[in-house]
Amino acid sequence: MKTQSQDPRLVIAVIMVTVAMGALDAISLTHLQVFTGYMTATVILIAVHLVSAQSILGPGLLAITSYLVGAALGGRLVRRAHSRRRTVADLLMGVGALILAAAAVWWIDMVGRYYVTLVIMAVAMGLQTSATRHAQVTDLTLPAATLLLHGLVHDSRLAGGPARGTWRRLAAIFGLFGGAVLGAWASSRSVPIAIALVGLTITGAGFLLYLRDHPLLERLENVSPL
């Protein structure tokens, strides 16, 4: 039985976004002290910092509010009368453009760049979550390791399950981890370049969904293990 999660091009695009998300959250945690994409962690960080000497209440609430703005915009955009693949592509291209704008803000060192970068990145991540939710790839509506790890074991042969989606989940887990490592490494050398690479990766994922049929893409469409 076919499901929407079996669209190989959407799966590949969402895994690319997962790699980018791992990188961006590593960058934002290291240089902004809050997550701009993983709001569960941001809420926990705010709570922990409330009882410490250094509070991140202001930046944390700003990140959450900006993320919700992006989610509202994304919710409106996914309800347009377009195909799922086209809608996700449009949203990812917009997310990529916003992330590149954030890289430019950090690069020119404008006044208030911390807050401007935080707002742009959080809005972009709210929009990105709408895109990945609309893609309807199992376990990847939000790039988070908890659901991926749970699904990997819950559906495994060990647990008496069918072991479907194993390669997709493994690819996403290692992509998230690898993206975080690359994001931390790249941002230790240049924050704007690291952010720009994230933007280009997400833009590339969107571009993949725009491409018309091609022999290479036909081979991709026949990939079943994902």
Side-chain angles (χ1 to χ4, degrees):
M1 177 177 172
K2 285 207 166 193
T3 63
Q4 292 293 348
S5 64
Q6 290 182 321
D7 182 332
R9 222 186 298 184
L10 275 175
V11 173
I12 295 299
V14 174
I15 289 176
M16 289 175 66
V17 171
T18 301
V19 174
M21 283 295 303
L24 194 66
D25 270 338
I27 294 166
S28 61
L29 179 62
T30 303
H31 300 280
L32 301 177
Q33 285 72 57
V34 295
F35 289 95
T36 54
Y38 189 35
M39 290 297 107
T40 300
T42 296
V43 170
I44 293 172
L45 282 173
I46 292 173
V48 170
H49 280 74
L50 281 177
V51 296
S52 67
Q54 182 183 5
S55 175
I56 59 164
L57 179 62
L61 291 178
L62 183 61
I64 293 171
T65 301
S66 301
Y67 182 89
L68 294 176
V69 169
L73 177 60
R76 284 189 171 273
L77 292 175
V78 299
R79 290 174 174 85
R80 298 175 304 163
H82 291 306
S83 69
R84 173 169 284 107
R85 190 183 283 182
R86 169 62 187 275
T87 300
V88 174
D90 289 349
L91 264 63
L92 292 182
M93 295 300 281
V95 171
L98 286 171
I99 298 300
L100 290 173
V105 167
W106 197 277
W107 180 272
I108 64 177
D109 197 14
M110 64 179 289
V111 176
R113 75 171 182 177
Y114 171 90
Y115 292 102
V116 175
T117 302
L118 176 62
V119 167
I120 294 175
M121 285 169 52
V123 169
M125 290 304 94
L127 193 61
Q128 174 269 322
T129 303
S130 291
T132 51
R133 282 189 62 179
H134 193 63
Q136 295 185 6
V137 177
T138 304
D139 288 339
L140 288 173
T141 54
L142 176 67
T146 302
L147 190 59
L148 289 164
L149 289 167
H150 181 273
L152 185 66
V153 177
H154 178 82
D155 292 333
S156 68
R157 300 290 186 192
L158 179 66
R164 291 197 193 97
T166 298
W167 291 110
R168 180 189 66 240
R169 287 164 174 153
L170 286 172
I173 290 167
F174 283 106
L176 192 64
F177 178 82
V181 171
L182 289 173
W185 177 81
S187 65
S188 70
R189 283 147 179 79
S190 172
V191 175
I193 289 178
I195 296 174
L197 288 174
V198 171
L200 290 173
T201 301
I202 295 175
T203 301
F207 182 72
L208 173 67
L209 299 177
Y210 280 133
L211 292 178
R212 294 183 179 276
D213 290 338
H214 184 277
L216 289 176
L217 291 175
E218 289 177 7
R219 294 184 65 181
L220 176 64
E221 301 292 348
N222 293 325
V223 175
S224 59
L226 292 174

